[in-house]
Amino acid sequence: MSLVIGSIALDTIANRHGRRERLVGGSTPYFAYAASLFEKPKIIGVIGEDFPGEILREMEEKGMDTRGILRERGKTFFWEGAYSEDFHSRETITTELNVFESFRPTLPEGYQEERNVFLANISPSLQRDVLDQLGKDRFIVMDTMNLWINTARKDLEEVIGRVNGFILNDEEASGITGCRYVMDAAEALKKRGPDFIIIKKGEHGSLLLTNQGFILLPAFPKREVVDPTGAGDSYAGALMGYLQEAGEISPLSLKRAMVYGTIVSSFTLEDFGLERLRRLTRQEVEERRNLYLEMLSL
Ligand code: AMP
């Protein structure tokens, strides 16, 4: 199973379809709901007293292992974001770390044994705390965001040097490397240590760089976006979930995993927050994947 550490949040989201207050979000729930279409992810994180018990129960029903989620006194991590009319940009209005401020992750019994690990978006020092508790020969993939590029650069660079794969969006890739073009950014990131780099370019698809070269996949074409929050985390969740299910990591399985990431994240956009992922089935994923593969066959 995959192990994931990242933020578990309550999010307030405003965009041209309206405003939703205190929805369950954070990089980990998006990742874990997507991964649970393929496997039973193990979660490490912390929540406060205001986190809805109903969602925690649902996560367990869907097979996610929540033993690594600490329940602390105080408030859950809170994030508020507002999107531009065309969804091309997003402004962070508030970030409140709350229970994450004093959180130090400790892996429960059995968690250290997991081979596939995803360091979802959270402070690089917490990502490193988890890395330090893992044995050798792990398959470790990470994500990050602009806040950490700007405020925790040194820790971030250290974590990048210790992982097998790095999945990030084009804006973050150029923020870290200073490169304007994604191909250059991917090459510059790969030189820092990871075996592969995946750069997500929103509606323009995603790019993979390995020692074997580049692969570029388009996004699944969608007309209506309701809320793009968490699309990147659900891409990563489906990618890691599929790799766990496939049982092998190769340029071909990575490419197939990117297809699942592309498909699952195209569902995330269809409703606010986690809503679409909560009711998504594997059958719907397979149907859309078939359409996508048909679109790609020449
Ligand atoms: P994405 O749309 O993929 O960037 O992910 C959105 C999620 O990231 C939201 O659910 C937020 O709760 C979470 N988030 C926002 N800021 C941070 C942060 N600084 N660290 C960790 N997670 C964050």
Side-chain angles (χ1 to χ4, degrees):
M1 298 304 122
S2 326
L3 186 69
V4 57
I5 172 164
S7 58
I8 305 177
L10 293 177
D11 290 342
T12 291
I13 298 164
N15 68 32
R16 67 187 168 90
H17 298 292
R19 181 182 167 86
R20 296 287 188 283
E21 310 250 346
R22 304 175 70 74
L23 298 175
V24 169
S27 50
T28 300
Y30 284 109
F31 176 94
Y33 270 78
S36 69
L37 291 158
F38 306 86
E39 54 143 340
K40 299 180 186 327
K42 290 182 157 65
I43 301 172
I44 306 159
V46 61
I47 53 177
E49 293 152 305
D50 51 357
F51 191 86
E54 170 209 342
I55 300 286
L56 214 49
R57 279 191 295 280
E58 182 177 271
M59 291 166 89
E60 283 156 14
E61 278 159 25
K62 285 181 179 285
M64 302 172 213
D65 185 339
T66 62
R67 284 175 301 148
I69 302 181
L70 286 182
R71 290 116 170 122
E72 292 288 359
R73 278 172 172 264
K75 285 189 186 165
T76 301
F77 178 99
F78 175 75
W79 175 77
E80 180 173 352
Y83 287 85
S84 63
E85 183 70 17
D86 60 6
F87 286 110
H88 283 153
S89 62
R90 174 173 88 185
E91 191 190 346
T92 290
I93 314 284
T94 319
T95 303
E96 290 170 13
L97 291 181
N98 297 330
V99 289
F100 263 101
E101 217 148 339
S102 54
F103 175 62
R104 283 289 157 267
T106 318
L107 307 196
E109 192 76 17
Y111 272 44
Q112 281 92 345
E113 312 314 320
E114 294 307 331
R115 188 174 125 74
N116 294 357
V117 179
F118 189 68
L119 307 174
N121 176 27
I122 195 62
S123 80
S125 63
L126 291 181
Q127 293 179 320
R128 189 182 46 210
D129 283 349
V130 169
L131 277 182
D132 290 343
Q133 294 174 54
L134 296 170
K136 285 208 171 77
D137 296 328
R138 296 300 127 111
F139 175 68
I140 301 162
V141 182
M142 69 177 288
D143 184 11
T144 192
M145 83 179 293
N146 282 343
L147 177 68
W148 312 118
I149 299 170
N150 299 330
T151 61
R153 188 58 183 249
K154 198 166 155 279
D155 290 342
L156 177 65
E157 294 283 357
E158 186 197 324
V159 177
I160 297 172
R162 293 175 65 183
V163 298
N164 303 84
F166 192 3
I167 309 188
L168 69 175
N169 69 32
D170 43 1
E171 206 185 309
E172 292 151 359
S174 60
I176 297 174
T177 61
C179 298
R180 189 163 159 234
Y181 298 107
V182 279
M183 305 275 257
D184 295 338
E187 268 166 1
L189 287 169
K190 194 163 174 312
K191 286 199 184 115
R192 286 160 152 92
D195 304 318
F196 73 89
I197 306 292
I198 292 179
I199 300 184
K200 298 162 292 172
K201 304 188 297 146
E203 64 180 314
H204 303 297
S206 54
L207 171 143
L208 167 73
L209 173 66
T210 64
N211 284 337
Q212 276 73 35
F214 284 105
I215 290 168
L216 249 170
L217 287 179
F220 183 80
K222 291 217 55 84
R223 289 216 179 81
E224 190 56 287
V225 173
V226 175
D227 173 23
T229 308
D233 308 304
S234 27
Y235 181 108
L239 180 128
M240 292 293 283
Y242 172 75
L243 288 176
Q244 177 70 42
E245 186 185 78
E248 58 147 3
I249 291 146
S250 65
L252 181 62
S253 67
L254 265 176
K255 190 173 169 183
R256 289 182 173 151
M258 285 172 76
V259 171
Y260 277 108
T262 301
I263 299 303
V264 172
S265 59
S266 76
F267 281 103
T268 310
L269 316 167
E270 292 178 358
D271 204 343
F272 272 98
L274 275 177
E275 287 311 307
R276 189 64 183 92
L277 284 180
R278 290 178 68 189
R279 51 176 201 273
L280 183 60
T281 64
R282 180 72 184 258
Q283 194 186 335
E284 289 176 295
V285 172
E286 294 303 333
E287 282 166 10
R288 187 170 289 182
R289 176 173 170 269
N290 288 338
L291 286 177
Y292 180 81
L293 295 179
E294 218 170 279
M295 176 185 92
L296 291 189
S297 80
L298 300 172

